[in-house]
Amino acid sequence: MNNKQVSGALLLAVLFGTVPPVQAQQGASQAAPPPGKTLVFVFRSDRQPVAAQVPVVVNLVRIGDLANGTFAVATVNPGRTFLRIGEQAVAVFTLEAVANRSYFVRIEAVSSVRPVRTEVRLVSETDGRRALAQSRLVGAAPAVGAAPRVQPPAPIAAPPVAAPRAQPSPPRPAPSAEAGADWNFALIAKGGAFKLASANQTVAGLASTFDTTSKPALGIEMEWRHRAGFAVGGEVFYYKNDLVATGVIAKQQVVALMANTKYYLRVADWFHPFVGVGVGYADALYSGDLKGTAGGAAFQGLAGMEFRFDQVGVLFQYKHLAATTGKSGSDVKIGGSGVLAGVSIAF
C-alpha cells in the first residue's frame, strides 16, 4: 500500500469509523500527507507515567485526549499552526507547517505536579515514527478481525478535513529553556558589584592597600543545559581594583577563566533557582607604578535565580571567588564576592 492509499484509508477511518483498529493504527503511524497538505502527529510519552489525560487542540479543533502511550493526528493547511495542550496548566506550541510534510510533536506530562503540566517539543521524523509504532491511536475501537481487503481500481484520496485557521493565542512562557532538545546551548552576559576579600596585603614586597570595590566587574558564560536541570560550561570573569603603596599608585586587573557546573531547580516554567561550583585559573595584571603579572588556581561557589521567558532569561547571582597568586609567604589574595545581574539567551 503506497503513502497516498494509507493517507486515504486513515482519513476514511476518521470520518466513518469503518477501518479495523489494528489497520488504522498501523496506517496512521506510517501515513503521508495528502498532496498540498500537512500532517501533524501529536504523541504522549512520559518518563514517569502520569494517569491524567491531556486534551490536544490543533487550530481550535480538539483532536483527542492523550494518555501516556497514545497519539493523535491532524491534517492542516500549510502555514502557521497552533497547538494548545492541557486545560488548567496550558502549554501553547507553534510551528510553521510546510506542504507535503509531516511533523511529530512529543508531549511529556511532568510527574508529581498538579494540575498536570506538560513539556512539548518537536522531534525528528525518525524518532516520531519509532514512538508512533509503540503507541495507540486515540479513538480506536476494541480490536476485531481484519476486514477483507478490496483492491480499488485506482488510488483515491479522501478530501482532507482542513482545520480552521486560528488567531495566535496570547503569548505564554515557553515550557522551559530546555524544551527544544535534551541539551540546549545558552549564552549569559552579566555585571554588577564585586569586592575583594582582603584590603591590606603585601604586593611585590610593598605593604599595599586596595580599594576593594571593583570597577568594573563583568562576566560572560557559555553553558550547555540539560532538560533535567544540570548544566556545564565555561566562564570568563573580569574585574579591576586600585591599590596604593608607599610611593606607588597602581591598578590590579584580574581575569578568571572558570569551568562551571550548575543545577537549575524548576519551580515553575519561568522560575529556575540554581546553585553551582567552578574551578579554573585567575591571572592578575598590574599596571601604573607597579608592573607585572601573577596567577594561580581559582575556585568559586554560585547561587542565584533565573526568570525565563521563551529563549530569553533574566538572572541574579551571588558569586564567591577564591584565588591566590604568587608563592607561599608572598602570596596575594585576589578573590572576593559580589552580586551580579545578567541576561541569558538560549539557542
Side-chain angles (χ1 to χ4, degrees):
M1 183 179 289
N2 61 33
N3 288 338
K4 291 184 178 180
Q5 289 174 293
V6 171
S7 301
L10 170 62
L11 293 172
L12 288 174
V14 173
L15 292 173
F16 302 107
T18 58
V19 177
V22 174
Q23 292 180 343
Q25 179 170 329
Q26 293 174 346
S29 65
Q30 298 298 325
K37 302 295 180 180
T38 302
L39 285 183
V40 179
F41 293 90
V42 185
F43 67 93
R44 179 173 161 189
S45 178
D46 299 344
R47 294 191 179 189
Q48 297 181 0
V50 177
Q53 293 186 336
V54 176
V56 177
V57 176
V58 178
N59 287 348
L60 298 183
V61 176
R62 189 164 181 158
I63 65 172
D65 294 351
L66 297 188
N68 184 36
T70 64
F71 74 96
V73 58
T75 303
V76 301
N77 289 322
R80 186 64 62 88
T81 301
F82 301 92
L83 284 74
R84 183 179 184 273
I85 296 99
E87 288 182 331
Q88 293 179 316
V90 177
V92 176
F93 189 82
T94 306
L95 61 88
E96 194 69 31
V98 177
N100 305 315
R101 285 191 57 182
S102 296
Y103 296 86
F104 300 84
V105 180
R106 175 185 173 180
I107 298 174
E108 178 185 345
V110 180
S111 62
S112 303
V113 178
R114 292 294 183 274
V116 176
R117 184 182 297 117
T118 57
E119 294 184 352
V120 185
R121 63 188 178 102
L122 197 65
V123 302
S124 66
E125 181 167 359
T126 300
D127 292 342
R129 297 285 186 193
R130 185 184 302 115
L132 295 185
Q134 300 172 357
S135 303
R136 175 175 57 84
L137 178 65
V138 166
V144 297
R149 296 191 176 186
V150 179
Q151 285 292 343
I156 301 177
V161 181
R165 285 185 174 272
Q167 293 298 319
S169 300
R172 293 177 180 269
S176 69
E178 297 88 1
D182 285 345
W183 288 95
N184 270 23
F185 176 75
L187 187 64
I188 303 170
K190 58 190 177 182
F194 189 81
K195 296 189 70 173
L196 296 182
S198 300
N200 299 312
Q201 301 192 65
T202 300
V203 181
L206 299 174
S208 304
T209 300
F210 284 91
D211 178 358
T212 58
T213 301
S214 301
K215 300 175 183 178
L218 304 170
I220 186 167
E221 288 186 65
M222 298 168 288
E223 67 182 22
W224 286 263
R225 297 172 172 177
H226 193 271
R227 65 199 305 264
F230 296 99
V232 294
E235 175 187 7
V236 179
F237 186 59
Y238 169 83
Y239 53 99
K240 181 169 66 174
N241 298 84
D242 295 330
L243 68 91
V244 176
T246 304
V248 172
I249 298 177
K251 294 183 182 294
Q252 174 185 272
Q253 302 179 71
V254 178
V255 177
L257 304 177
M258 308 299 295
N260 297 330
T261 180
K262 298 179 186 174
Y263 179 73
Y264 289 91
L265 177 64
R266 177 181 171 180
V267 176
D269 291 342
W270 51 271
F271 183 48
H272 297 252
F274 65 88
V275 294
V277 295
V279 61
Y281 184 85
D283 188 65
L285 171 65
Y286 296 93
S287 59
D289 295 331
L290 183 64
K291 299 184 183 298
T293 62
F299 308 90
Q300 69 178 359
L302 309 167
M305 62 187 73
E306 183 176 12
F307 302 90
R308 296 180 184 174
F309 306 94
D310 202 358
Q311 270 119 358
V312 177
V314 177
L315 65 88
F316 300 92
Q317 176 189 88
Y318 171 79
K319 171 197 287 284
H320 178 75
L321 177 67
T324 303
T325 66
K327 298 179 180 179
S328 177
S330 60
D331 52 356
V332 178
K333 294 179 173 59
I334 62 173
S337 59
V339 177
L340 307 171
V343 176
S344 66
I345 301 177
F347 298 91

